[in-house]
Structure formats: structure tokens, C-alpha cells
Amino acid sequence: MTNQQYAEMWKDLGLNLEKHDVLLNALAKGYGDLFMTQKNRPAGMGYFDFVISEVHGLRIKELVDRKKAGKKIIGAFCLYVPEELVYAADATMVGLCGGADFSIPDAETVLPRNICPLVKSFFGFKVGATCPYFNSCDMVVGETTCDAKKKVYEVLADYTPTYVMEIPHKVDTEQSKALWLSEIKLFKQQMETLTGNVIEKDSLKEAIRLINEKKKAMKRVSDTRRASPTPISGLDALLVNQMSFYDDVNRFTLKTNELADELEKRNADGVGVGDPSKPRLMFSGCPMAIPNWKLHSIIESTGVPVVAEESCIGSRYFTDLVEPKGDSMDSLLEAIWDRYHNISCACFTPNDDRVTKVVDMAKEYNASGVVYNVLQYCHTYNIEAIKVDKALKKAGVPMLKVETDYGSEDVEQIRTRVEAFTEMLSPV
Ligand code: BJ8
């Protein structure tokens, strides 16, 4: 279908069609310039090119069709929202984090300027009526992670039904476990009330399986990037991770496994992208919500591949699985807590687990250095960079901290810093 044919659907969703057109054109151009000009891409990326070309079209139509069939769509902004419970209630979850500069002026008509761009971006998509995912949601689920997010959810509630989960910040205490488990149970009830479906053990087990399979496929793709030359660019791998928050789960898993098959074959044949004599960089820090391709594109424009992402749009999402130890509903819910409290977001304190994970990952992926991404005004990731830097130094892995937003003003300055950083690195 063409954009013209989708216009009626977008109108019914309440989008500002004029602004939305500008956004789509900018997205198509940015994608063409960054992704389609890459050399020697895996054939399996063709599927993801198609998905992105239809990201506001076919996929939204699927969601709208589900809504017409009485199913619910849930929007989330953080990995801590247990998607297994959403799917167990026969609802669909989509990620709503914003990665575009485009929506920030709309956000700034309401919010203060000096807050994180990710938060401003998603809020701007809602107030500017330019995101069909946001407008498809029957409910959005926030969480008490960073200050910017939790306060913005209060304001967002004036625009859309918003539910907030309380996420404890000290994770390794009995009190924290009790609070978190009770929040998971409350969320289960919330899903049951919204959908009218009681979550039974079998549906939850099936949802756990569904999401675990998706994460295993993503981990397979990620694992192939340990090879030198890396079989896929960091940009393409990032895109796969970003699409995991939008695409139909079964189809995404199938296509990601097919991509992993191809990448494993490439590794066996010694086929890759980029020059294996160059250093390899690992990315760490704040998430890069779609269409934030800024740092990856800058780094890879210098001829240096990004080989891993320690990020929520990356390893923090797919590394751990929900692994129930028993068959009761309580065991299933405890397994969900167990997996989710292991996502080491910088909002936790203390957060030594993340520091260890970053160092381990840099070694596993043979990274010559780490580029640490801080989104402007993200205090948690910014301050945690001190400990990460210290631990990486001790392990002999240099780190470059880049604090940036979604604008293009600092692109050349970052490129110069990345070039200077990689010049002093030796290939691993
Ligand atoms: S689990 S990283 S998705 S909270 S970048 S909005 S922290 S000021 S996105 Fe996150 Fe969940 Fe943590 Fe992951 Fe705030 Fe920082 Fe902005 Fe952030």
C-alpha cells in the first residue's frame, strides 16, 4: 500500500497528517543515506529494510486490525515492563521511546528544555500527534526509573491512559524483592482488567517461551559479532535490536534466526564487513531508540566497526531469559522478577553488576575500546561512567565518553574525537 492509502488509517488514529508526512520523508531520506549506502550487507537485512519501509504502514495496520478484533495494544518505555504478562493476556506490546530530534520542539511547548532527549522525544510524539504507535495504544506503562521519566509520566497521563510500575532502586534486598514481586502481581491484574482475559499458567508459560525465543535469536546475531571481521555492521545490528520493539514477535524471531544463520555462515567463510586490521569498538550506555543512529553512524563512518551494544537496545534486552524453576503461578512470577531485576540499569544503586558486565562484554567481543554514550542530562549514566571507566582502565580497555543529544550540531566534533580515540587503539 502507498502512504496515500494509509492516510485514512493515520487520520483515524488522530495523527497530524501534515507533520507526519514531514517525519516520514525525513526518515526515508536518513535511512537511505545511512543504511542503503553500506557495502556488503547481509541479504537477511532485506527483511529489516522492508520492515522499516512499512514501520508506520503495514505494521500499524496489523495493530489496528488487532484492535478491531478487540485486542489491546500496550506501549512501554523501559525494559522493566514485563512483556510476558502483556502477551499472556493476549495483548501486544510496542516500545515508545523516542530517538528523534523531530518531535522535540513539540515536547518543549510543554516540558522544560533541559531534560533528556529520549524523554522529550517520546513526549513530543504524543503531543505533536506524529507517532502512530503511541496513538494505537490502549494504555502506556511507565516505571519509576530516572527522575525525568517518572515525572513526565505524571504529565503524560493528561494525554493518554498511563499506568506506572514502581521499580525499586536497591535491588539486592528482601524488601526490594517483595516490592518488585508485588508490582509484577499488580501489573498482571492490570493486564487482566484491561483485556478481560485471566492470565492462566499455560498462557504465561507460552508467553515466556515466545519472548525467550525472540531473545535467543537476537543473542545468536549478537554472538556472531565476536568474529573478526564482524559479519554485520553495528548500524545494521542496531537496527535489528530497534525493530525488536515493534515487529510481530513470531515473525521477528523467524527473520532474526534466518539472519543469524547467514551471519554464522559468513563467519565460517571469513566474510565480513569492514577492515579486520582496524580496531573494534563496543558501545555502552544510554539506549538508542529508533531512529537514533547518530553515534553508530559517526563511528562507522571512520571505518571502525561497532561490535556490541551494552545497552537496553542491545545486550541488556536479550541476554537473560525468564527461566522458571517450578510450575506454579508463583514460580512463574518469581522467574519474571529474577530475570528483570538482573537488567542492570544505571538507575540502580549500587550497580557494580553493570560495571562487571561492561568489562566482561568488552573482553568477550574483543573490543579494542568502548564508546560510552550519555544522552544529555542523563545523570545516572553520566555519573556511572566514572566507575565504568575505572574498571575498563584496570582491564586495559580505553573508554571514550560522548555526551550528546539528537541534534546534528556536534557530529563533526564527535567524529574528530572518535578518530583521535581509535588512532591510539590497537586492533585486537
Ligand atoms: S532499564 S536505561 S530503558 S530506564 S537516557 S530516560 S535513564 S535520563 S532510558 Fe532506560 Fe529502562 Fe534504564 Fe533501560 Fe532517563 Fe537516562 Fe534519559 Fe533513560
Side-chain angles (χ1 to χ4, degrees):
M1 279 171 78
T2 63
N3 283 357
Q4 232 164 11
Q5 288 165 306
Y6 287 129
E8 205 53 37
M9 172 179 80
W10 293 329
K11 203 165 130 207
D12 290 346
L13 286 172
L15 294 194
N16 177 328
L17 292 187
E18 221 169 289
K19 257 191 203 174
H20 183 247
D21 271 357
V22 178
L23 170 67
L24 280 192
N25 289 337
L27 263 183
K29 163 129 186 39
Y31 191 79
D33 290 350
L34 293 179
F35 285 83
M36 304 312 282
T37 51
Q38 297 179 97
K39 303 237 164 20
N40 198 18
R41 295 176 82 207
M45 285 310 296
Y47 169 72
F48 296 93
D49 292 337
F50 171 71
V51 174
I52 195 106
S53 71
E54 287 288 341
V55 72
H56 281 197
L58 201 56
R59 182 60 185 140
I60 296 298
K61 188 171 178 315
E62 289 177 348
L63 296 180
V64 167
D65 287 347
R66 276 187 69 77
K67 282 166 76 74
K68 283 185 187 151
K71 316 285 181 187
K72 302 294 180 193
I73 312 294
I74 310 299
F77 308 89
C78 178
L79 296 195
Y80 290 126
V81 178
E83 57 187 325
E84 291 82 359
L85 289 169
V86 173
Y87 286 93
D90 200 17
T92 301
M93 194 159 108
V94 291
L96 294 178
C97 278
D101 214 22
F102 178 84
S103 52
I104 288 183
D106 284 324
E108 288 177 350
T109 61
V110 181
L111 298 178
R113 289 193 67 213
N114 295 346
I115 58 174
C116 160
L118 184 147
V119 173
K120 280 195 288 186
S121 180
F122 76 63
F123 188 82
F125 275 121
K126 185 63 198 171
V127 296
T130 45
C131 175
Y133 289 91
F134 228 130
N135 281 22
S136 301
C137 287
D138 297 284
M139 187 177 89
V140 302
V141 186
E143 67 319 305
T144 56
T145 47
C146 69
D147 288 351
K149 276 178 153 184
K150 71 185 172 210
K151 296 310 286 182
V152 163
Y153 298 140
E154 293 175 22
V155 187
L156 189 61
D158 289 342
Y159 297 83
T160 192
T162 304
Y163 177 84
V164 177
M165 284 184 76
E166 180 164 2
I167 303 298
H169 288 182
K170 286 179 82 171
V171 282
D172 284 328
T173 64
E174 277 306 309
Q175 302 93 299
S176 154
K177 179 176 175 183
L179 171 61
W180 203 323
L181 262 174
S182 70
E183 284 291 313
I184 290 171
K185 286 177 187 165
L186 279 174
F187 183 62
K188 173 174 171 284
Q189 279 172 18
Q190 185 70 28
M191 284 299 98
E192 291 175 331
T193 309
L194 183 79
T195 59
N197 297 327
V198 176
I199 298 177
E200 305 284 2
K201 266 191 326 177
D202 284 349
S203 56
L204 185 51
K205 279 198 265 181
E206 172 52 23
I208 290 172
R209 188 204 61 77
L210 179 82
I211 303 300
N212 280 354
E213 289 305 311
K214 172 185 177 186
K215 289 178 180 168
K216 280 190 218 162
M218 294 170 77
K219 176 86 167 47
R220 277 187 69 202
V221 167
S222 178
D223 283 347
T224 65
R225 298 167 73 197
R226 296 173 191 221
S228 180
T230 176
I232 181 169
S233 70
L235 257 181
D236 278 338
L238 173 64
L239 182 76
V240 173
N241 290 333
Q242 289 173 330
M243 292 323 303
S244 71
F245 296 97
Y246 299 91
D247 201 3
D248 170 80
V249 179
N250 279 317
R251 187 174 55 209
F252 174 86
T253 304
L254 179 78
K255 293 295 174 183
T256 303
N257 271 322
E258 282 175 15
L259 177 65
D261 291 342
E262 183 185 355
L263 299 183
E264 284 164 7
K265 169 130 192 0
R266 278 188 157 207
N267 282 349
D269 296 343
V271 176
V273 295
D275 180 351
S277 69
K278 296 263 188 184
R280 302 153 55 85
L281 290 183
M282 180 177 121
F283 182 101
S284 172
C286 295
M288 301 74 60
I290 200 164
N292 180 7
W293 302 309
K294 183 172 174 179
L295 271 189
H296 276 60
S297 62
I298 295 173
I299 294 168
E300 296 200 325
S301 74
T302 70
V304 174
V306 177
V307 294
E309 292 81 22
E310 185 279 322
S311 166
C312 286
I313 311 224
S315 66
R316 287 201 290 270
Y317 178 60
F318 57 70
T319 301
D320 296 314
L321 305 179
V322 175
E323 292 172 311
K325 294 191 178 66
D327 197 43
S328 65
M329 180 56 85
D330 278 349
S331 303
L332 300 179
L333 295 178
E334 178 149 353
I336 289 178
W337 164 79
D338 195 28
R339 181 259 181 270
Y340 280 81
H341 93 289
N342 263 321
I343 303 167
S344 33
C345 172
C347 298
F348 288 170
T349 183
N351 202 25
D352 296 338
D353 184 45
R354 171 163 178 254
V355 178
T356 310
K357 281 178 182 161
V358 174
V359 174
D360 289 350
M361 218 175 136
K363 288 186 191 151
E364 285 162 18
Y365 284 81
N366 293 316
S368 334
V370 170
V371 173
Y372 191 100
N373 172 39
V374 177
L375 287 177
Q376 234 170 36
Y377 308 112
C378 177
H379 306 315
T380 51
Y381 279 91
N382 201 356
I383 297 170
E384 196 155 281
I386 300 167
K387 285 198 159 201
V388 173
D389 187 31
K390 207 166 154 194
L392 282 169
K393 248 193 206 110
K394 206 166 152 205
V397 183
M399 179 181 115
L400 173 73
K401 185 173 94 173
V402 178
E403 193 175 345
T404 187
D405 59 10
Y406 295 163
S408 52
E409 298 78 16
D410 57 355
V411 166
E412 288 315 316
Q413 190 203 12
I414 296 172
R415 200 185 325 271
T416 307
R417 289 184 64 211
V418 169
E419 276 167 351
F421 179 64
T422 49
E423 258 168 40
M424 63 155 205
L425 299 175
S426 32
V428 177

